[in-house]
Amino acid sequence: MDKLGPDDPHRIGAHRLLGRLGEGGMGQVFLARSAPSSSSAPASPTPSSTSTAPGSSTAT
């Protein structure tokens, strides 16, 4: 497991991220811990609903 970098999120929802497990074609995978149960599990953020796909454009 690698340490979180300066551009990595520190939380995903209610889960605190502990470190980076890997990265691949589907994005990054982090080790996350949930506050209520203190259990750890892998977590991967989903793209923001406001982001645009590469190659797309928005009207201005």
Side-chain angles (χ1 to χ4, degrees), residues 20-46:
R20 181 190 288 255
L21 295 175
E23 184 171 5
M26 297 295 287
Q28 300 113 357
V29 178
F30 300 95
L31 180 62
R33 175 158 294 153
S34 88
S37 66
S38 295
S39 62
S40 298
S44 183
T46 58

